[in-house]
Amino acid sequence: MIKVSPVISKVIRSLVLLIVLSGLAYAWTGALRGPSGETVTDLGRAWLFALAVVARMSLDTQPSGDVGRALTGMESILSTILVGLLGFLLGRRIRSD
């Protein structure tokens, strides 16, 4: 079993929580548009979009309106901070081993 420090596991849990909450927010507000212009309220597609924002992937689903762009921007900034923190912590752990 791999031993993971509590701080690293908290950062990973925070990333997962960010994806879940962002997906819920996208689906609840209807802030996404599909490829044919329809409003996306499907939770699965919203979570996929939230994961794509964290992973910097491109999808045919896009944010729509000010709410969608604001949610996407906040998720992007928070995920960048968390991924950077995770990289720093993992690098520090590797150097200390």
Side-chain angles (χ1 to χ4, degrees):
M1 178 141 233
I2 299 173
K3 286 182 72 175
V4 178
S5 76
V7 177
I8 292 174
S9 66
K10 283 181 185 178
V11 173
I12 293 171
R13 282 194 306 257
S14 297
L15 268 170
V16 171
L17 184 65
L18 177 65
I19 292 168
V20 169
L21 291 179
S22 295
L24 288 171
Y26 291 135
W28 183 63
T29 60
L32 298 176
R33 296 274 182 248
S36 60
E38 79 278 8
T39 301
V40 174
T41 56
D42 177 35
L43 196 53
R45 284 180 66 186
W47 276 332
L48 179 62
F49 181 78
L51 181 62
V53 169
V54 171
R56 309 292 191 267
M57 296 181 340
S58 178
L59 292 177
D60 57 355
T61 304
Q62 298 295 322
S64 66
D66 293 338
V67 173
R69 286 189 287 277
L71 286 172
T72 304
M74 287 188 298
E75 182 190 5
S76 182
I77 289 169
L78 288 173
S79 68
T80 300
I81 292 168
L82 288 172
V83 169
L85 180 60
L86 182 62
F88 171 76
L89 292 171
L90 288 173
R92 207 170 117 213
R93 177 159 183 203
I94 289 170
R95 276 185 268 136
S96 69
D97 286 346

